[in-house]
Amino acid sequence: QVQLVESGGGLVQAGGSLRLSCAASGRTFSSYAMGWFRQAPGKEREFVAAISWSGGNTYYADSVKGRFTISRDNAKNTVYLQMNSLKPEDTAVYYCAAHLSWSPEDVIPSPSEYDYWGQGTQVTVSS
């Protein structure tokens, strides 16, 4: 069982930056591939970024590539999402998710493959 708690959301002007954190409980965090997703009002949840449990592989949605960076610290049971050059269209509730993976290099873009989800943190980007 893994519990995920996101933090770091807030209100920021366009062009600004935020860093989201996702703290995980449990002793096997390093066996979980992690992902960030977001959901804007009236829209479906969409993939943002994923990282393998080794941290060696990452994968990004085209809409955030070059602006967002996903990373993890397995010693701290935490995954991060550094968001730079934010745009109003990045406004959404951001969720982290965990997928138990047998491969240290798997990155998982599909939300249906994730086993655990956090409660979400709101990110609002003003123009």
Side-chain angles (χ1 to χ4, degrees):
Q1 189 81 352
V2 174
Q3 292 186 328
L4 304 173
V5 179
E6 302 96 335
S7 62
L11 174 64
V12 64
Q13 289 188 335
S17 297
L18 282 175
R19 188 175 82 154
L20 305 184
S21 299
C22 173
S25 65
R27 295 178 295 173
T28 58
F29 175 73
S30 59
S31 297
Y32 285 83
M34 300 296 294
W36 285 97
F37 295 80
R38 67 187 182 187
Q39 188 166 19
K43 295 187 178 181
E44 293 186 355
R45 189 170 298 190
E46 66 172 355
F47 168 74
V48 174
I51 188 167
S52 61
W53 64 251
S54 74
N57 275 349
T58 58
Y59 184 66
Y60 297 92
D62 287 344
S63 59
V64 307
K65 201 172 296 182
R67 300 188 298 123
F68 291 10
T69 302
I70 188 171
S71 61
R72 66 190 296 160
D73 185 338
N74 287 343
K76 295 183 178 180
N77 283 11
T78 302
V79 63
Y80 305 97
L81 185 68
Q82 178 66 43
M83 305 186 295
N84 298 329
S85 302
L86 282 161
K87 305 175 181 180
E89 51 263 45
D90 294 318
T91 295
V93 177
Y94 282 71
Y95 300 89
C96 70
H99 167 82
L100 182 61
S101 176
W102 302 110
S103 167
E105 303 305 334
D106 277 351
V107 285
I108 313 295
S110 172
S112 64
E113 296 193 46
Y114 282 85
D115 307 296
Y116 303 101
W117 291 83
Q119 83 291 346
T121 186
Q122 176 71 47
V123 171
T124 303
V125 184
S126 64
S127 57

